[in-house]
Structure formats: C-alpha cells, structure tokens
Amino acid sequence: MILKFSYILLTIIVLLIIIRIGFKTINKTFSKKKKITKKKIQLITGLLLWQAYIIAIGISKVLETFELPPRLPLFLILPTFLFTGIFLYKNRNNTWIKNISPESLIYFQTFRIAVETIFVFSVTAGVLVKDVTIEGYNYDMVLAFTAPFIAYLVFKKKNLPVRIAILWNYLGLVILASVIVIFITNIYMPELYEESKSLMPLEFTKYPYTLVAGFLMPSAVFFHILSIIQLSKKK
C-alpha cells in the first residue's frame, strides 16, 4: 500500500510542479484576464483527463498481458510521444516557450531521483526487476542528480554556455531511451536475457504502476524536448 501511494504522491507532486510552471508562463505571456483563465483551465483539464485515462486503463485489465501486440507501449507510451511531437512542433515558435524560466525546465528533471528511488523499493516488492533500476542498467538517477548543477552553473552563475544545457538535455533523452529499451526487452524479449518468459511481473501493468509509462517518463521527455527547443532559439 505504501509503495502504491508513493507512485501516486510523486505523480501529484509532478502535476503541481507542471501546473506552477504553466501558470507562471501563462501569466507572463497573456495580459487579458479572460485569456489567462481560459489557458489555465485548459492546462488543468488536459492534465486531469490524461490522469483519468491512465487510471481507467490501469484498472480495466486491458494491459494485463505481455502478449503481442505490446499493449503497454501502444496504449500509454505511443500516445504521449505523439502528443509531445505534434504539440511542440506546432508551438515551437510561440511566445510562451520563450517565457518559460529556462532553469525551471532543468530543475524539473530532479524528480527522477524520486522515481528511481521508488524503483529500488519496487524490486523488493516484486513489482519490478533489478535490471530496470540503478542496481541494474538504469542510470537515470545519475543524470537527475546533475540537473541542479547544470541549471545553477548555466543560468544562475553563467559559468557554462547554453550549449552545455542543450547537450545535457540530449543526454537525458538518450538515457531515457535506453531505459525504455531495458523495460521493453525485459517484457517482450526475455530471450536476450536467456529467459523463456517475460522477466517483468504482470503487476507492473496495473495502476498506479502505469503512471511510470503513462505520465512520469513522458513528462521527462516532454520537458527535455521543450528545453532543447527553447535553448536552441536562445543560442
């Protein structure tokens, strides 16, 4: 119960951070109160609707199989990646991207320290396998620990050039991609690990563990790409 609550609590914290960043950006971008209110409602509505979808599909048992086609990527990861690509491409030249505090997009990634910490406890609970944690092949926590230093040195002290932050974001995407590969191969390609069946417990396909593939990981990807777009224009 505590483990499940940890995933939900972390999700709530991440949602509040996203809303805070969003509200500050909206206030800075728009001047009319009606427009500001409308944009804030749209942001909250979008986030809540997606959470409702994750909950619904997580308790529906639709994902509770590791047979092909791979339902976890198709129902959770693919939609978020499509949204990220289409949304950020369409808005790449919009003023609101310039108005986001650049360091906030970097600091945001520190939430992954908590994710990886919960992963370690999830292994003990039999929800995850060691391969997808810091004890295995997942080095996401290492990158997350560097986020405050990158944000501070690049944007506060200005001791490092903006291109360092851009490269750091790309590195973050590469690490996330490697983590996704580790998850997918453990689930759908167990023969790579000399096993005949999926190494991942089926429990991982249930809510709230679906928050990892459906919200927490995609949020990290979204903010990395958003930061790259913003900093590339500044550079």
Side-chain angles (χ1 to χ4, degrees), residues 11 17 26 29 55 63 71 74 81 86 103 129 165 171 177 198 207 213 219 234:
T11 296
I17 294 172
I26 290 169
T29 304
I55 293 172
L63 303 177
R71 298 187 185 184
L74 286 176
F81 280 14
I86 294 171
E103 58 265 35
V129 293
L171 177 61
S198 176
Y207 185 84
S219 295
K234 285 181 179 295

Side-chain angles (χ1 to χ4, degrees), residues 22-39:
F23 277 17
K24 289 181 69 175
T25 304
I26 290 169
N27 288 334
K28 192 175 180 180
T29 304
F30 303 99
S31 56
K32 295 182 179 179
K33 287 187 176 180
K34 187 176 290 188
K35 187 74 170 180
I36 290 173
T37 302
K38 180 182 177 181
K39 290 296 181 180

Side-chain angles (χ1 to χ4, degrees), residues 47-63:
L47 289 171
L48 291 181
L49 284 176
W50 183 247
Q51 289 301 316
Y53 172 76
I54 295 173
I55 293 172
I57 201 165
I59 64 178
S60 67
K61 299 185 178 182
V62 171
L63 303 177

